[in-house]
Amino acid sequence: AEGFAPRAAAAGLGLAALGALVLGRGAAAAPTAARGGSGQSASVVALASLKYPKRGATPQAIPVLDLNGEKIGEETLDLHVLSKETANYVVHGAARIWSYMNLRDFSRKLPRKSDVPTGRKPWAQKGSGRARHGTLYSPLFGKSYSNQKPNGLNDKRNLKIKRITHCQCISTVLQSKWRCMYIVQGLEEWDQARQGDLEKMIKKITGRKPGTRSMLMITRKHYGEESQNGGTKSFSYDSPLYMSARLIPRLELRRPRDMDPDGDGLWQALKGRHIIISREAFFDLQAKFNPKDGWAWKTTRDILVEQLQILAKEFPMDRNAEIDKCRELPILLEDRVEWAKQKREEEAA
């Protein structure tokens, strides 16, 4: 018990020094923490920042083009990225798990020995000069299979990825594609379903013939889906850009909301050799994945609290005045009805 207090004090001093160094306060903050000052809160904040560190890569300038491929400006791409030591490993692991859970076909099922009949014995136990067998349905004859063969959905494991890790992977991949990323002004205003016009526009922007390389186009409002019975779903006809692009090989259309763990955003970002983004969608992605205050790094509760705080500032309320008004109400329901009737008569007069 006598040696515990010095060790605890030393541990508290070391933790405070770590928080001071991380927060950039220098060695001057450590003595303050040892005296029980603000260094304790500094160390807590430092540990919180170490749990989910937000790293920003070198901001890159992305050209802004018009529909004719002419450069009209630039925008800065600055998204959160994983560290260079772990980025490849984490992104590869997330992509592997997502493809296993969503793309791999588990419909094939080969019969086990318990799924087939016993069958007759192929020949006598002795006298034939051949090896002994008990049934024609043995795995040796190819009519049943061992447990090493696929067994359909029974073989599928439930692999999971943390949501924040998945978002970090998407953000990292998008930031790494800055060399082949183009922002197009006026893409949201595409108003005619013309495949030929869209192919010409893509060739002017990327310098590549559409269909020769995988391309990803991200817009805010243009989206559609193919029907399982052929053709497109009814809501797809409201998007002229999707109707223009649906038959172009190796071209995928997604929205900023689809670049999310709930969709295939990571897979499409990895596949895309060229990424074309509308200016509006670029601002959406920047607000979602920026390293400072991107909403992808916040929980649902954090976002709700922030919105409520904004509403509280926009519509200020006097809580004491509300309490005083409530105290004016009668206690009984019958008295409240009579009180309300008198108030209405007073306001009408």
Side-chain angles (χ1 to χ4, degrees), residues 64-72 183-192 196-206 217 219 222 241 276-280:
V64 180
L65 312 175
D66 59 10
L67 297 179
N68 295 322
E70 300 293 335
K71 184 176 179 180
I72 59 176
I183 302 174
V184 180
Q185 178 71 31
L187 194 59
E188 299 286 351
E189 288 75 31
W190 192 274
D191 57 354
Q192 291 185 345
D197 295 343
L198 183 59
E199 289 178 346
K200 293 178 183 178
M201 187 267 290
I202 293 175
K203 188 173 183 179
K204 290 178 182 178
I205 292 174
T206 63
M217 186 176 293
T219 60
H222 292 283
L241 184 62
I276 302 173
I277 310 179
S278 69
R279 200 162 194 170
E280 294 82 356

Side-chain angles (χ1 to χ4, degrees), residues 229-290:
N229 300 323
T232 60
K233 295 185 178 180
S234 58
F235 66 86
S236 303
Y237 293 99
D238 298 332
S239 173
L241 184 62
Y242 176 79
M243 298 304 296
S244 302
R246 60 182 290 264
L247 298 180
I248 299 179
R250 308 178 74 175
L251 175 63
E252 297 290 340
L253 262 70
R254 295 294 183 270
R255 298 165 295 181
R257 62 182 297 180
D258 300 322
M259 309 303 292
D260 195 75
D262 296 332
D264 60 346
L266 175 61
W267 192 255
Q268 296 300 335
L270 286 169
K271 284 176 54 181
R273 300 289 296 276
H274 296 280
I275 300 181
I276 302 173
I277 310 179
S278 69
R279 200 162 194 170
E280 294 82 356
F282 177 81
F283 293 142
D284 291 345
L285 292 175
Q286 192 75 22
K288 185 175 183 178
F289 294 122
N290 76 81

Side-chain angles (χ1 to χ4, degrees), residues 101-128:
M101 296 298 296
N102 297 276
L103 300 182
R104 186 170 175 178
D105 184 15
F106 285 92
S107 60
R108 186 171 181 231
K109 181 179 183 299
L110 297 178
R112 299 295 191 261
K113 193 173 180 179
S114 59
D115 298 332
V116 296
T118 304
R120 66 178 180 83
K121 190 175 178 67
W123 47 75
Q125 181 81 353
K126 296 179 178 293
S128 64

Side-chain angles (χ1 to χ4, degrees), residues 129-314:
R130 289 174 287 187
R132 296 170 291 182
H133 291 287
T135 174
L136 284 173
Y137 288 91
S138 168
L140 297 176
F141 293 102
K143 293 187 177 181
S144 63
Y145 298 89
S146 65
N147 291 332
Q148 296 179 351
K149 296 297 181 180
N151 195 28
L153 288 175
N154 295 334
D155 286 344
K156 186 173 182 179
R157 296 174 294 164
N158 187 19
L159 303 181
K160 297 180 180 180
I161 317 170
K162 287 185 178 180
R163 185 176 184 86
I164 188 171
T165 303
H166 203 149
C167 290
Q168 288 173 336
C169 293
I170 297 174
S171 177
T172 302
V173 173
L174 288 176
Q175 181 71 32
S176 68
K177 299 274 186 175
W178 65 271
R179 292 184 179 87
C180 55
M181 185 178 294
Y182 312 93
I183 302 174
V184 180
Q185 178 71 31
L187 194 59
E188 299 286 351
E189 288 75 31
W190 192 274
D191 57 354
Q192 291 185 345
R194 301 290 183 182
Q195 179 177 338
D197 295 343
L198 183 59
E199 289 178 346
K200 293 178 183 178
M201 187 267 290
I202 293 175
K203 188 173 183 179
K204 290 178 182 178
I205 292 174
T206 63
R208 294 277 182 175
K209 181 180 178 182
T212 57
R213 283 188 174 185
S214 296
M215 297 183 183
L216 174 63
M217 186 176 293
I218 305 176
T219 60
R220 178 182 288 178
K221 64 179 183 179
H222 292 283
Y223 180 72
E225 291 182 7
E226 296 295 315
S227 175
Q228 296 180 353
N229 300 323
T232 60
K233 295 185 178 180
S234 58
F235 66 86
S236 303
Y237 293 99
D238 298 332
S239 173
L241 184 62
Y242 176 79
M243 298 304 296
S244 302
R246 60 182 290 264
L247 298 180
I248 299 179
R250 308 178 74 175
L251 175 63
E252 297 290 340
L253 262 70
R254 295 294 183 270
R255 298 165 295 181
R257 62 182 297 180
D258 300 322
M259 309 303 292
D260 195 75
D262 296 332
D264 60 346
L266 175 61
W267 192 255
Q268 296 300 335
L270 286 169
K271 284 176 54 181
R273 300 289 296 276
H274 296 280
I275 300 181
I276 302 173
I277 310 179
S278 69
R279 200 162 194 170
E280 294 82 356
F282 177 81
F283 293 142
D284 291 345
L285 292 175
Q286 192 75 22
K288 185 175 183 178
F289 294 122
N290 76 81
K292 296 181 180 179
D293 56 350
W295 59 264
W297 323 123
K298 302 175 184 178
T299 63
T300 305
R301 179 179 176 82
D302 294 337
I303 296 175
L304 179 60
V305 169
E306 287 184 3
Q307 296 299 322
L308 290 176
Q309 290 174 349
I310 294 174
L311 289 174
K313 293 180 180 179
E314 186 176 356

